[in-house]
Amino acid sequence: MTELLSPVGNMSCLIAAINAGCDAVYLSGINFGARSFAGNFTNDEILTAIKTCHLYGVKIYITVNTLIYEAEVERFMNYIDFLHKNNVDAVIMQDIGMIDLVRKTYPNLEIHASTQMFIHNMDGVEFCKKIGIKRVVLARETPIELIKKMKKANIELEVFIQGALCMSYSGQCLMSSLIGNRSGNRGTCAQPCRQKYSLEINNKIVDSNSYLLSTKDLNTLEYIDEFLSSGIDSLKIEGRMKSKEYVYLVTSLYRKAIDNYKKFGKSKITKEDINNLKSIFNREFTKGFLFNENNDNFTNTFRPNHMGTKLGKVVDIKNNRVYIKLIDSLSINDGIRIIGSNDSGGIVNSIFKNNNKVSFANKNDLISIIFKDKVEIGDEVLKTTNHKLITYIDDKIKINKKIGIDVYFKAEVNSNIKLIFDDGLNKVERISNYVVEEAKKSPTTKEQIINNLTKLGNSIYKINNMIIDVSSNIFIPINIINELRRVAVDKLNNKRLYKTNYLKEKYSIELPDFKIQKCKNILINNYEEYIRCKDKFNIIYTEDENLANMLKDNVILKLPRVNEYLKDYNKRLLVSDLGSVYKYKNIDCDFSFNVFNSYSVAFLHSIGVNKITLSLELNYKQIKQIIDSYESRYKLHPNLEVIIDCFEEVMVCKYNLLKNYNTNEGYLIDRFNNKYKIIKKHNLMYIYNYQKRDLKENYFDIGINNVRINL
């Protein structure tokens, strides 16, 4: 059965998701989750969330998908231990070293590979399966045709179906970190993609002061049949920073679509459903690269936040009133925004129609409102909050979901009472100590028995079917029936509050040793650079395959960052993704592996990686801690590389800003007039830092074997 997975940022959202019909939820604790600015859950709240979810038959996954510094490992593992002991269904992880440590320490804890792990090809999926990962959350850029092929790997696959998109491949964006010191890989992304930029090509501004990197929101509600027929295991909604109303509405609409498809073979989604989805939150919608969305329909350059729905246009302005011709209905307490030279909005407190005050106006009505900000005739009016919809959702959330059970009650004279509760998956049976007597005066009726069995109070259950099999003229004290019911409820609760199989073992790993060296390496672009560099550097890399083939053993080929289908090579390679680690033998790992700690170094060395380039996000002190910890724990020396000189790649994107300009190069210019070079290569868009990386520390002094320059 395909799982519907909902985001929850707090307890209110958790209840909303459950009531809306999710099969599972994902959430984060206070630390180690990739949405640090969501409400998130304390440890006590996590315990309540686990109990609540399991009682309702909902699975709960905890995101621990940040990269972990060396100094955090002990605290991180204590947190994992807490989660496992308290029966979470799975943890969602990015850090490859922590995945290896957790898998070996807690072999019964289910691990899901976060989309931050950048899994986007069949070999990456096979790699995850090989190391014991249960489920892969695929890169959002992975097309549905490739996902269908990935199902052959016999591992669970999860895809995002709704919500915010990143411009860069997740886990591969360093823009917020390197420019603003807020790391997306550490859960504190400042969202530079939602800022305004200008685009310069050939020294000319071709697009000025627009949200050039701001993606539309993913919406695949009308493609549910494609997902379900492809066998994808989990459909994931993004939105741990969204409201409970958003969580409820989006979950309920996808629940409706899934259930309709199973019942009728069609999702039966209506225009009203789509309009409600737009009302609750949208940056305009795209079907994303899942369904090969047109490059021109991927971004919303006009606005990076909620667009609302079209409400009408300003047709007149008189006496502090704005007159609007409606193309949709409007109610008191709706939110609006008027788009013009002075973009502003607010809550509608009064509506006038024919100079009469009304609480509601219909489509095509001419109305006026009091609006203090400056507007102009012709300005577009948007509805940003649908008060009626919000009120409807809030009322729905208050009605707690009930689990249907079948009840069987049997009582015969001179026999014990039998009571069975069955929820379809769990069955509990209770036999009374009390022996049924023949009634001397007033017999106990079926109606009395039914009345007392249905008093389920604050429990999560409701009775679907009830069979009362009793002899005539019997007497049962009412307190006996009530006690049987209470005990049956408790026993059914205990069965639904299942326990995971907690097990803790000792971590171990086999590693090679590497000599201490002092190598200077370089990444070049062409033959002319090779001639200049060949006698000055120990290792030379190139992305130019023709150049690598010509020079053979003198240079090492660097593979592209993104490879949906990997070619065959029988040579040493510098690789950028986990699929390449699975496929190739003689490899070095580039900075894109996000190596943050000594456990990641150890794991990569243990599976045959020669040389490991550390993350560009680490400083000198953190790098020293990695080496010191590695040597102390394993009594061996690692083979590490630090990039000391380059313009860093801060984004790698499937979307291409340059596509419509017949060029492979350009510049993004931010509000501070910083210029970021853009290059199209390998059918992808690469964005580079505006300032050059130029590290002056002596990394050989702390045990680094290799320093590298990227030309």
Side-chain angles (χ1 to χ4, degrees):
M1 183 181 77
T2 302
E3 172 187 273
L4 179 59
L5 176 58
S6 294
V8 294
N10 53 49
M11 288 300 298
S12 296
C13 291
L14 179 76
I15 299 303
I18 290 172
N19 285 346
C22 69
D23 299 304
V25 299
Y26 66 103
L27 57 90
S28 175
I30 300 299
N31 298 304
F32 309 119
R35 290 288 191 193
S36 292
F37 305 118
N40 295 325
F41 289 69
T42 65
N43 283 1
D44 286 343
E45 287 173 331
I46 286 174
L47 296 179
T48 301
I50 293 169
K51 181 177 179 180
T52 302
C53 286
H54 287 178
L55 275 176
Y56 281 102
V58 170
K59 289 188 174 182
I60 180 168
Y61 310 136
I62 307 294
T63 63
V64 281
N65 57 341
T66 58
L67 300 176
I68 306 302
Y69 288 129
E70 194 69 35
E72 295 174 327
V73 172
E74 183 178 357
R75 185 161 59 94
F76 176 83
M77 289 302 286
N78 288 338
Y79 180 58
I80 294 292
D81 189 84
F82 161 77
L83 296 176
H84 192 21
K85 277 181 177 175
N86 288 288
N87 307 308
V88 296
D89 293 285
V91 289
I92 305 169
M93 300 181 67
Q94 173 190 8
D95 191 302
I96 192 65
M98 293 301 97
I99 288 173
D100 184 55
L101 179 59
V102 169
R103 184 177 56 85
K104 289 174 177 174
T105 308
Y106 303 105
N108 291 339
L109 178 57
E110 187 171 307
I111 297 174
H112 297 176
S114 170
T115 191
Q116 295 284 118
M117 283 186 74
F118 182 47
I119 304 299
H120 62 277
N121 53 40
M122 182 64 146
D123 294 280
V125 172
E126 292 282 9
F127 174 84
C128 290
K129 178 183 174 183
K130 182 179 179 180
I131 66 171
I133 288 173
K134 180 71 180 295
R135 177 185 294 181
V136 176
V137 187
L138 294 169
R140 291 176 175 93
E141 293 80 359
T142 312
I144 191 70
E145 295 82 7
L146 181 53
I147 294 172
K148 290 176 181 178
K149 294 176 182 177
M150 289 173 170
K151 280 301 298 176
K152 296 176 183 177
N154 196 27
I155 184 175
E156 290 184 12
L157 300 179
E158 180 175 302
V159 299
F160 280 92
I161 57 171
Q162 179 76 33
L165 292 168
C166 292
M167 171 54 70
S168 176
Y169 277 81
S170 293
Q172 298 301 299
C173 181
L174 302 178
M175 195 167 190
S176 178
S177 176
L178 297 180
I179 295 164
N181 201 30
R182 283 174 50 178
S183 171
N185 284 319
R186 295 275 298 162
T188 58
C189 180
Q191 295 190 308
C193 53
R194 303 294 183 191
Q195 300 298 321
K196 286 184 175 181
Y197 297 90
S198 296
L199 179 61
E200 178 186 294
I201 294 175
N202 295 326
N203 298 314
K204 181 181 178 182
I205 300 297
V206 296
D207 199 335
S208 180
N209 203 32
S210 299
Y211 295 100
L212 297 176
L213 300 180
S214 185
T215 62
K216 295 180 179 180
D217 282 352
L218 180 66
N219 170 24
T220 64
L221 189 57
E222 295 174 279
Y223 293 85
I224 284 297
D225 53 346
E226 187 91 25
F227 290 126
L228 298 181
S229 63
S230 69
I232 293 168
D233 299 276
S234 181
L235 304 179
K236 186 172 194 171
I237 299 165
E238 183 277 336
R240 284 191 288 129
M241 295 178 70
K242 296 292 199 305
S243 68
K244 65 182 185 296
E245 290 84 6
Y246 177 91
V247 171
Y248 180 89
L249 179 68
V250 177
T251 300
S252 62
L253 287 177
Y254 277 96
R255 177 82 276 155
K256 170 187 172 181
I258 292 168
D259 291 347
N260 282 347
Y261 179 81
K262 290 176 180 176
K263 189 173 181 179
F264 306 111
K266 294 180 180 179
S267 63
K268 294 195 171 185
I269 293 301
T270 65
K271 287 183 179 179
E272 183 182 9
D273 292 331
I274 298 297
N275 199 55
N276 285 340
L277 204 54
K278 289 180 178 178
S279 294
I280 205 74
F281 192 90
N282 82 90
R283 295 182 178 95
E284 296 187 341
F285 288 140
T286 174
K287 59 188 178 182
F289 294 114
L290 266 168
F291 297 103
N292 303 308
E293 183 66 273
N294 186 298
N295 192 80
D296 296 331
N297 194 42
F298 191 66
T299 57
N300 176 358
T301 59
F302 177 66
R303 178 177 296 282
N305 48 23
H306 181 36
M307 291 291 295
T309 57
K310 291 183 178 181
L311 181 64
K313 283 189 180 294
V314 175
V315 295
D316 203 356
I317 304 162
K318 292 179 183 177
N319 302 323
N320 205 32
R321 283 199 202 173
V322 175
Y323 289 78
I324 302 168
K325 179 69 173 178
L326 298 179
I327 60 171
D328 192 6
S329 61
L330 179 68
S331 296
I332 295 294
N333 296 319
D334 282 350
I336 65 166
R337 180 182 292 124
I338 299 180
I339 306 298
S341 57
N342 185 26
D343 185 354
S344 59
I347 300 299
V348 174
N349 296 313
S350 56
I351 303 172
F352 298 91
K353 182 178 173 183
N354 297 325
N355 287 323
N356 295 316
K357 203 169 186 179
V358 296
S359 60
F360 177 83
N362 288 303
K363 176 181 178 181
N364 296 322
D365 282 349
L366 175 63
I367 59 100
S368 64
I369 61 172
I370 298 171
F371 200 80
K372 294 181 180 179
D373 292 331
K374 182 182 177 182
V375 299
E376 296 177 358
I377 293 173
D379 284 353
E380 185 174 24
V381 186
L382 305 176
K383 185 194 295 186
T384 54
T385 305
N386 185 329
H387 179 69
K388 182 179 178 182
L389 178 63
I390 295 295
T391 302
Y392 167 80
I393 293 171
D394 285 342
D395 289 342
K396 283 284 189 180
I397 293 172
K398 292 172 187 174
I399 303 171
N400 286 332
K401 181 179 177 181
K402 294 290 184 180
I403 305 298
I405 59 173
D406 294 337
V407 176
Y408 176 73
F409 184 93
K410 182 176 177 63
E412 295 177 331
V413 175
N414 298 324
S415 296
N416 304 95
I417 302 168
K418 178 190 285 188
L419 176 63
I420 296 173
F421 278 10
D422 186 348
D423 67 6
L425 293 174
N426 306 284
K427 182 185 287 188
V428 298
E429 182 177 300
R430 180 67 181 164
I431 306 295
S432 71
N433 294 323
Y434 173 79
V435 177
V436 178
E437 300 174 359
E438 187 172 354
K440 293 184 173 64
K441 292 184 179 179
S442 301
T444 303
T445 65
K446 280 189 178 183
E447 287 73 20
Q448 287 175 307
I449 295 169
I450 291 170
N451 183 55
N452 284 278
L453 288 178
T454 53
K455 290 179 179 178
L456 294 171
N458 293 325
S459 78
I460 65 168
Y461 306 110
K462 65 179 181 179
I463 296 174
N464 284 342
N465 301 294
M466 184 184 294
I467 296 174
I468 306 298
D469 182 8
V470 296
S471 303
S472 58
N473 199 37
I474 60 172
F475 174 74
I476 306 171
I478 295 303
N479 68 309
I480 297 295
I481 300 173
N482 290 339
E483 180 62 19
L484 279 172
R485 184 197 69 236
R486 282 193 292 268
V487 172
V489 166
D490 287 343
K491 287 182 73 174
L492 188 54
N493 282 346
N494 287 334
K495 279 206 169 186
R496 294 178 70 85
L497 290 171
Y498 55 85
K499 302 286 185 182
T500 55
N501 189 12
Y502 176 85
L503 177 64
K504 185 175 183 179
E505 294 187 346
K506 191 173 182 180
Y507 163 81
S508 65
I509 194 166
E510 293 185 10
L511 296 171
D513 195 11
F514 294 92
K515 294 179 181 179
I516 296 176
Q517 297 175 305
K518 295 182 179 181
C519 297
K520 294 182 178 179
N521 309 328
I522 192 163
L523 173 67
I524 64 169
N525 300 291
N526 51 53
Y527 184 72
E528 289 72 23
E529 290 176 352
Y530 170 75
I531 294 299
R532 295 203 308 269
C533 299
K534 64 185 179 71
D535 298 323
K536 300 176 184 178
F537 294 91
N538 299 91
I539 297 174
I540 297 177
Y541 299 106
T542 183
E543 295 184 66
D544 187 330
E545 190 167 348
N546 292 328
L547 181 61
N549 290 336
M550 180 179 73
L551 297 171
K552 296 183 179 178
D553 296 335
N554 292 327
V555 301
I556 295 172
L557 177 63
K558 179 188 183 306
L559 295 189
R561 291 272 289 278
V562 178
N563 297 276
E564 289 183 353
Y565 297 93
L566 290 166
K567 295 164 61 175
D568 291 329
Y569 292 102
N570 186 23
K571 60 171 73 175
R572 187 169 176 180
L573 301 166
L574 177 63
V575 301
S576 298
D577 75 295
L578 288 167
S580 298
V581 173
Y582 179 80
K583 184 173 178 67
Y584 305 120
K585 300 294 183 186
N586 190 12
I587 59 170
D588 299 341
C589 285
D590 208 355
F591 70 90
S592 52
F593 282 82
N594 294 323
V595 172
F596 253 55
N597 54 66
S598 61
Y599 289 92
S600 295
V601 175
F603 173 72
L604 291 171
H605 276 331
S606 76
I607 59 175
V609 175
N610 301 314
K611 177 165 59 60
I612 298 159
T613 308
L614 294 176
S615 167
L616 298 175
E617 297 187 70
L618 297 172
N619 61 36
Y620 188 84
K621 181 181 177 181
Q622 291 161 343
I623 292 170
K624 186 177 186 302
Q625 287 178 331
I626 290 173
I627 297 169
D628 290 347
S629 296
Y630 188 98
E631 292 181 337
S632 173
R633 185 183 311 110
Y634 306 117
K635 313 304 178 189
L636 299 168
H637 185 69
N639 189 21
L640 301 177
E641 180 176 70
V642 172
I643 299 175
I644 60 170
D645 188 323
C646 70
F647 283 94
E648 301 128 328
E649 294 174 1
V650 293
M651 282 194 191
V652 54
C653 316
K654 202 166 189 176
Y655 171 75
N656 183 12
L657 268 172
L658 304 172
K659 188 173 182 179
N660 298 326
Y661 297 99
N662 194 31
T663 183
N664 292 328
E665 292 188 9
Y667 285 93
L668 275 178
I669 305 173
D670 68 15
R671 63 190 186 279
F672 305 112
N673 212 34
N674 298 315
K675 296 178 73 171
Y676 305 79
K677 190 163 189 176
I678 311 171
I679 293 178
K680 177 193 171 187
K681 58 181 179 179
H682 315 301
N683 292 315
L684 300 168
M685 177 176 70
Y686 287 75
I687 302 176
Y688 292 82
N689 203 343
Y690 70 90
Q691 58 188 350
K692 195 173 187 182
R693 180 185 186 88
D694 185 14
L695 305 183
K696 301 300 185 183
E697 298 94 339
N698 190 329
Y699 285 88
F700 294 137
D701 285 351
I702 59 173
I704 287 294
N705 277 5
N706 303 267
V707 294
R708 193 212 306 177
I709 296 170
N710 288 351
L711 292 183

